[in-house]
């Protein structure tokens, strides 16, 4: 039977997921491809459930005929104990955000890293990757750092507010990529690091609507730098806007959001999503949000 004659039921599990744009992106792409595709948010906060119930939720989803679930905070690590199989990259990252349900088995993937890799390739295809500074080494930051090294970055300087977390992440990544250099740095070192860097990647909450501002002294950013942000609400963060005004090539956070959604769509259906079409829809959704505020 062709995939195109099947129906798909998928969901997103996590805290505060009701405003997520991911369901809209998946359902629109399904509509365009002629699929019966239903994507439902499962908000743990609204249900009054802790992240530790993710195993029970997976079993319930299996019984109810779901094809898979995306999982987000606080379940990306908690879900690992309930999977039958984990894709190699997701296993290295120690985090899963996409679970396929096949014949009663749960198979975990990580499309945060692959989504950023796709975003970088499509949005900044000519980016020089000899040396990159990354701000933030948390959950999303780990996936982005892995993607950067996979893409060919030779030297990656991780700058995190938590020195221990930064050092642990750097050591872990250096183990996965023994032919690269991964260093743990502090914000105080940015004046020395930025002149050496080809690009800057931002993976902290700074720039979100609730955390306005820029994550570093913009005097350190030169027109020759490329700048990537993973914050997408707003799509035009202060970092993206100011970097573009300086003449930098920029990558907005929406590209990673679309990249991970397109990868998840392919994993769930076996069909390739049109990432540029999904991005156009994503930008429509963001624009509608900004008008309604």
């Amino acid at each position: 039977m062709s995939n195109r004659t099947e129906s798909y039921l998928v969901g997103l599990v996590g805290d505060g997921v009701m405003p997520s744009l991911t369901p809209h992106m998946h359902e629109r792409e399904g509509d365009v491809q002629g699929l019966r595709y239903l994507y439902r948010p499962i908000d743990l906060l609204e249900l009054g459930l802790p992240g530790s119930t993710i195993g029970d939720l997976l079993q319930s989803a299996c019984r109810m005929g779901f094809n898979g679930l995306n999982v987000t905070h606080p379940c990306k690590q908690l879900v690992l104990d309930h999977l039958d199989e984990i894709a190699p990259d997701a296993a290295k990252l120690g985090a899963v955000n996409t679970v396929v349900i096949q014949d009663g088995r749960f198979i975990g993937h990580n499309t945060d890293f692959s989504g950023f890799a796709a975003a970088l390739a499509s949005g900044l295809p000519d980016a020089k990757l000899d040396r990159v500074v990354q701000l933030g080494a948390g959950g999303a930051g780990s996936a982005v750092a892995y993607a950067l090294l996979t893409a060919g970055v030779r030297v990656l300087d991780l700058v995190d507010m938590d020195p221990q977390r930064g050092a642990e992440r750097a050591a872990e990544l250096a183990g996965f990529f023994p032919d690269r250099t991964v260093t743990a740095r502090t914000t105080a070192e940015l004046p020395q690091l930025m002149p050496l860097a080809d690009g800057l990647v931002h993976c902290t909450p700074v720039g979100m609507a609730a955390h306005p501002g820029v994550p570093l002294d913009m005097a350190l950013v030169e027109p020759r730098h490329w700048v990537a942000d993973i914050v997408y609400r707003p799509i035009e963060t202060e970092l993206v806007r100011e970097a573009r005004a300086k003449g930098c090539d920029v990558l907005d956070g929406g590209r990673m959001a679309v990249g991970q959604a397109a990868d998840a769509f392919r994993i769930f259906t076996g069909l390739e999503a049109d990432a540029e079409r999904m991005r156009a829809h994503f930008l429509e959704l963001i624009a509608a949000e900004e008008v309604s505020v």
Side-chain angles (χ1 to χ4, degrees):
M1 182 181 291
S2 166
N3 269 341
R4 293 184 180 277
T5 63
E6 294 177 8
S7 62
Y8 295 90
L9 176 61
V10 297
L12 171 64
V13 179
D15 286 352
V17 297
M18 292 306 291
S20 174
L21 300 180
T22 300
H24 303 283
M25 285 194 285
H26 277 253
E27 290 189 343
R28 171 75 72 86
E29 183 64 16
D31 288 346
V32 174
Q33 295 209 25
L35 306 179
R36 294 188 176 196
Y37 196 105
L38 193 62
Y39 190 119
R40 285 290 176 259
I42 303 166
D43 196 319
L44 298 180
L45 293 180
E46 291 211 353
L47 294 171
L49 296 173
S52 57
T53 58
I54 184 62
D56 293 335
L57 288 170
L58 280 176
Q59 293 294 338
S60 296
C62 182
R63 287 193 294 270
M64 290 188 290
F66 274 70
N67 299 88
L69 296 174
N70 281 132
V71 296
T72 188
H73 177 79
C75 300
K76 289 183 183 182
Q77 286 80 39
L78 294 170
V79 74
L80 297 174
D81 290 338
H82 305 283
L83 302 176
D84 298 293
E85 184 181 335
I86 304 175
D89 292 313
K92 287 180 180 177
L93 284 165
V96 158
N97 75 334
T98 302
V99 180
V100 179
I101 303 172
Q102 290 180 343
D103 303 319
R105 299 177 75 249
F106 304 110
I107 305 163
H109 300 263
N110 187 302
T111 67
D112 285 332
F113 106 85
S114 60
F116 183 82
L120 186 67
S122 64
L124 293 173
D126 301 319
K128 191 178 178 186
L129 299 174
D130 289 340
R131 187 163 188 163
V132 173
V133 171
Q134 178 177 315
L135 306 179
S142 296
V144 167
Y146 188 89
L148 288 168
L149 293 163
T150 301
V153 169
R154 305 302 307 172
V155 179
L156 180 62
D157 297 308
L158 287 179
V159 178
D160 197 79
M161 296 295 287
D162 182 340
Q164 182 178 347
R165 178 171 68 177
E168 289 174 354
R169 194 73 72 226
E172 185 178 57
L173 289 165
F176 296 145
F177 298 90
D179 60 333
R180 316 295 170 79
T181 301
V182 187
T183 71
R185 304 288 190 159
T186 66
T187 52
E189 295 175 272
L190 283 172
Q192 289 75 51
L193 295 173
M194 288 301 292
L196 303 174
D198 300 310
L200 173 74
V201 182
H202 174 237
C203 303
T204 85
V206 176
M208 290 181 179
H211 304 278
V214 291
L216 81 167
D217 180 356
M218 290 302 293
L220 299 174
V221 178
E222 305 169 38
R224 66 177 185 83
H225 288 130
W226 55 265
V227 175
D229 205 339
I230 69 166
V231 173
Y232 64 86
R233 276 181 164 134
I235 193 83
E236 283 277 313
T237 61
E238 290 182 54
L239 174 63
V240 164
R241 190 167 58 248
E242 293 189 27
R244 184 183 287 119
K246 280 177 172 276
C248 301
D249 289 332
V250 300
L251 186 76
D252 65 65
R255 286 212 177 256
M256 178 178 175
V258 170
Q260 66 87 12
D263 280 356
F265 184 93
R266 173 181 48 77
I267 290 168
F268 288 142
T269 66
L271 301 169
E272 289 295 333
D274 185 324
E276 288 305 314
R277 181 168 62 211
M278 289 183 82
R279 177 168 169 80
H281 181 219
F282 175 83
L283 293 176
E284 286 176 20
L285 294 167
I286 288 286
E289 276 188 347
E290 291 172 351
V291 167
S292 67
V293 171

